[in-house]
């Protein structure tokens, strides 16, 4: 093999082994748009209750999309920190915001689980409080 052939082989091998370089601006824009879309869906969901308590089960389900979008964005930021010149402070701020979102999601899902448990207990008659008398059946 000639020197040129060897150099070409090594260059091709290095290119094949190297990760695909990120297009930071476009990638971050897509990830940010996905996150903002999920945030908008969640905000609209809560606005639809007009000050009344929201359904915890539905809230828990709706937070999943936001959690996935934020995790994808955070993973991208950490993986491409050097290549995209993402400051440590920006990553730390995003992690803090993601932690707040995760805490909110956990509270919604905990409330949903408690609500399901209470419904199951009520269906079994294990509510612990006074039980309602069954209504008479048949003609009066």
């Amino acid at each position: 093999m000639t020197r040129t052939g060897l150099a070409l082989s090594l260059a091709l091998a290095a290119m094949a082994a190297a990760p695909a370089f990120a297009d930071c601006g476009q990638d971050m824009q897509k990830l940010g748009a996905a996150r903002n879309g999920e945030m908008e869906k969640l905000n609209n969901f809560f606005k639809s209750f007009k000050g009344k308590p929201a359904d915890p089960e539905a809230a828990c389900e709706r937070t999943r999309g936001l959690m996935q979008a934020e995790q994808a964005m955070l993973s991208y930021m950490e993986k491409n920190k050097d290549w995209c010149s993402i400051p440590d402070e920006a990553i730390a701020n995003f992690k803090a915001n993601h932690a707040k979102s995760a805490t909110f999601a956990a509270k919604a899902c905990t409330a949903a689980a408690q609500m399901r448990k209470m419904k199951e207990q009520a269906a079994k008659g294990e509510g612990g409080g006074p039980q309602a008398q069954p209504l008479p059946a048949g003609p009066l």
Side-chain angles (χ1 to χ4, degrees):
M1 186 177 273
T2 66
R3 253 188 194 170
T4 307
L6 181 61
L8 182 57
S9 295
L10 289 174
L12 289 174
M15 286 174 55
F21 290 114
D23 183 353
C24 303
Q26 287 180 350
D27 292 344
M28 288 296 290
Q29 189 174 18
K30 287 178 188 175
L31 291 165
R35 180 198 178 270
N36 291 342
E38 291 297 329
M39 185 66 84
E40 188 175 337
K41 287 179 193 177
L42 195 58
N43 286 335
N44 289 338
F45 169 75
F46 284 108
K47 285 179 187 176
S48 72
F49 288 93
K50 298 178 181 157
K52 298 176 193 165
D55 174 22
E57 289 185 53
C60 175
E61 185 64 34
R62 295 257 155 83
T63 60
R64 288 189 182 133
L66 178 63
M67 293 288 82
Q68 290 172 348
E70 285 187 350
Q71 186 58 52
M73 191 167 183
L74 182 58
S75 295
Y76 181 89
M77 291 170 77
E78 290 175 334
K79 180 179 176 184
N80 296 293
K81 174 188 169 312
D82 295 329
W83 175 254
C84 296
S85 300
I86 301 172
D88 290 333
E89 185 178 342
I91 294 173
N93 287 339
F94 193 80
K95 276 184 182 179
N97 287 333
H98 181 58
K100 288 177 187 177
S101 296
T103 298
F104 174 79
K107 286 181 183 180
C109 293
T110 298
Q114 289 173 341
M115 181 179 277
R116 275 192 301 274
K117 184 177 178 182
M118 288 172 33
K119 284 180 182 178
E120 289 170 3
Q121 288 176 342
K124 292 179 184 177
E126 299 174 2
Q131 299 297 317
Q133 294 294 321
L135 296 175
L140 293 177

